[in-house]
Amino acid sequence: MLTETIKNFVGRLFSSPARGPERLRREKHGIDRRNVSRHAIKVCEVLQQAGFDAYIVGGAVRDLIMGLEPKDFDVATNATPNEIRSLFRRARIIGKRFQLVHVVFGPEIIETSTFRAPASDEQETDEHGRILRDNQFGTHEQDAARRDFTLNALYYNPVNEEVIDYHRGVADLKKKLVRMIGDPQLRYREDPVRMLRAVRFAAKLNATIEPASLAPIKQAAHLIENVPASRLFDEVIKLLTCGHAMECLEKLREFGLASYLLPYLDDLMSNPEDRHFIDMALERTDLRVRAGKPISPGFLFAAMLWRMVDKRWKQGVYDGLPTMQALIEAADRVIDEQSGQMAIQKRFQGDMKEIWFMQPRFERATPKSIWRMFEHPRFRAAVDFLQLRAAGHEVDSVHAQWWMDLANAEPEERSPMIDAYQQRNRNEGPGAGPARRKRRPRRKPAGAAANVH
Ligand code: ATP
Ligand code: MG
């Protein structure tokens, strides 16, 4: 009797529910079809007319139910990749690990994938249990079981406007609970990135991670080390640009995940001034995200690591290095140490360095160098960065604003602005803004050069 109860309980935990899925009509899930991408609807219609099952799935359904605007729309179907491709004029099969089809409608791509079977014993894993290959087709029910959280395992049929829910995801979503499907510990082992996804959904939806889904995270946090750097990088970008970056960072620290991603973070966050800088950078990022503006990863990481670079830079100058050399060495060291945990892609490293290396140039600009800086592709980003530093009281805010005005000026306004600036510096002599710093001895500590409180 008791074993039967345990069996039932385990059965409920590890397999899909015996009762079959819940089917929710429009009044129950509240999705307004007008908020659904017409291209995603089209893909479902075409597949259904050809006799297949097809649903909008994943994050889009979750966000629509929560009244948020989905980032993109994915479709799941029982048609194979070849069958999907043959039904659309502009469709291509992509991916090795998972084959899926991109159905292209101008700028919008509807990612369409075949129902997949969940993890099985035959699956290829690494020595920690991380799944390396996962390309078995499966049933609808199996597809639901291999998804990560209940609130991500919802299927919306735009034709009859029904939501199919195998794991009580709608109820969890309404209760704002992030709950892993199946055995959380095993599922984090299969794919440690799920721990980061739990954090992101909790922050984004203002939700709680359900206790059993939360419990294994601290123990499993180190498994992050086995995840390929490029995937970690993508996920960190998603965490920082989900519109709730600070909540994400707080949770990453709380659950012991941060040190595997951003090794400096604990140090910086425990110092009030450094923390203030990161707070501001993330607040600005969140505002941009919520306003639908693009975020540059280079800028974001430049901000996240700046205070560490700044400390090393000052130290280098103090130790007698020339300003620029000290900055270059500080940047290289910080990026190097960061790469031990999570490598930042080379092109973004390039952007970061350009943003950083332009900072001292704002301090001692001449009209000639100002015109040269203008041509620099990262000029605008570097001026934004200067503003951030001014907001953190690292540089004079009037000075930073002048550069911002210059960056925003119409081409014909620039020359008079630069002339006026030079004139003012001549008239007022040392102490009159940016050019003052030009006359400072080169080997002055960077802290003194950059700090104009
Ligand atoms: P976002 O809003 O960031 O796009 P999302 O949930 O749509 O969130 P995607 O990475 O686009 O995230 O994935 C689409 C769906 O695929 C998810 O909703 C989930 O059902 C499933 N999925 C994604 N990543 C995983 C994973 N690591 N393990 C299991 N299922 C996953
Ligand atoms: Mg998505």
Side-chain angles (χ1 to χ4, degrees), residues 57-60 62 71-74 238:
V57 65
R62 174 196 71 217
K71 275 206 317 256
D72 42 38
F73 286 82
D74 299 327
K238 286 188 186 174

Side-chain angles (χ1 to χ4, degrees), residues 187-220:
R187 305 229 49 218
Y188 292 134
R189 250 200 336 261
E190 286 172 357
D191 182 6
V193 167
R194 289 173 184 151
M195 295 186 273
L196 308 180
R197 289 175 57 85
V199 165
R200 175 156 59 92
F201 299 130
K204 179 175 159 176
L205 302 167
N206 190 21
T208 317
I209 304 177
E210 174 266 338
S213 307
L214 178 64
I217 292 186
K218 275 198 179 139
Q219 291 278 326

